């Protein structure tokens, strides 16, 4: 099946098998930040943005991105690097396997919620699993990042 879509800002046209999962399709296209975790849509490792909204690529067929804008972590390097510094400073990166999906959801949350509080952050990120921590350091890094972004806007 032939589909047209945007991947990280570049319009593409590809032939795709109707039964192929989006996660496999994206990894074939070099988007290795998209990780395979639970394969049951429960861990958030495979999170990408579709038309600015986070989706789980392990539970979506690739043909459904026809006409859509898909963004992976590879397409958000500047934002990801900026926030990643806050994760590292809090010791929240641990093994790093869950970071890409986690960062994708944090970026989506910041685009959707103007000034999320700690409870909203926890609720928004409830679908992300990290086997190394209890998200204390991750939450602290988000709050510090939000404060940093707020002071940048005021400057």
């Amino acid at each position: 099946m032939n589909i047209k879509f945007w991947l990280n800002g570049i319009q593409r046209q590809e032939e795709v098998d109707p039964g192929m999962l989006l996660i496999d399709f994206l990894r074939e296209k070099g988007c290795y930040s998209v990780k395979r975790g639970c394969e049951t849509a429960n861990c958030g490792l495979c999170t990408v943005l579709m038309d600015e909204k986070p989706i789980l690529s392990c539970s979506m067929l690739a043909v459904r991105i026809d006409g859509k804008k898909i963004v992976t972590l590879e397409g958000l390097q500047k934002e990801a690097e900026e926030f990643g510094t806050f994760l590292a400073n809090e010791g929240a990166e641990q093994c790093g396997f869950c970071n890409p999906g986690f960062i994708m959801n944090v970026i989506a949350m910041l685009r959707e919620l103007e000034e999320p509080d700690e409870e909203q952050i926890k609720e928004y990120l409830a679908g992300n699993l990290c086997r190394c921590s209890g998200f204390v350091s991750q939450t602290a890094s988000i709050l510090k990042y939000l404060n940093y972004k707020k002071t940048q806007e005021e400057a």
Side-chain angles (χ1 to χ4, degrees):
M1 180 172 224
N2 195 288
I3 61 172
K4 291 181 181 179
F5 60 99
W6 288 262
L7 179 58
N8 296 325
I10 299 170
Q11 189 170 22
R12 299 178 71 153
Q13 183 171 339
E14 301 277 344
E15 196 65 35
V16 63
D17 181 274
M20 180 177 244
L21 289 174
L22 180 56
I23 187 172
D24 297 321
F25 180 72
L26 292 172
R27 289 184 63 81
E28 273 187 11
K29 302 303 166 208
C31 298
Y32 300 118
S33 69
V34 184
K35 304 288 189 210
R36 185 179 299 305
C38 66
E39 296 189 59
T40 59
N42 287 308
C43 71
L45 293 175
C46 66
T47 301
V48 299
L49 301 181
M50 182 168 77
D51 291 341
E52 297 291 321
K53 299 289 182 196
I55 62 152
L56 300 171
S57 63
C58 76
S59 62
M60 178 176 281
L61 294 173
V63 295
R64 295 203 48 214
I65 68 169
D66 190 36
K68 305 289 186 186
K69 293 180 181 176
I70 303 299
V71 179
T72 67
L73 199 60
E74 287 84 359
L76 296 171
Q77 286 300 305
K78 184 179 178 191
E79 286 175 88
E81 187 177 319
E82 184 178 65
F83 175 63
T85 301
F86 285 81
L87 277 175
N89 289 342
E90 289 299 314
E93 78 279 11
Q94 303 277 329
C95 78
F97 192 71
C98 66
N99 284 1
F102 181 77
I103 291 171
M104 291 299 294
N105 273 307
V106 168
I107 290 171
M109 177 188 68
L110 296 177
R111 290 178 177 181
E112 184 178 327
L113 305 176
E114 193 167 311
E115 288 188 42
D117 60 26
E118 191 168 340
E119 194 58 40
Q120 288 174 305
I121 291 168
K122 288 178 182 177
E123 185 177 317
Y124 200 96
L125 300 174
N128 281 86
L129 297 181
C130 175
R131 290 171 177 87
C132 295
S133 74
F135 285 112
V136 173
S137 298
Q138 286 90 340
T139 303
S141 67
I142 293 168
L143 292 169
K144 287 182 179 181
Y145 182 66
L146 287 171
N147 188 47
Y148 166 78
K149 294 300 275 183
K150 190 175 184 175
T151 58
Q152 292 295 318
E153 290 172 5
E154 292 170 358

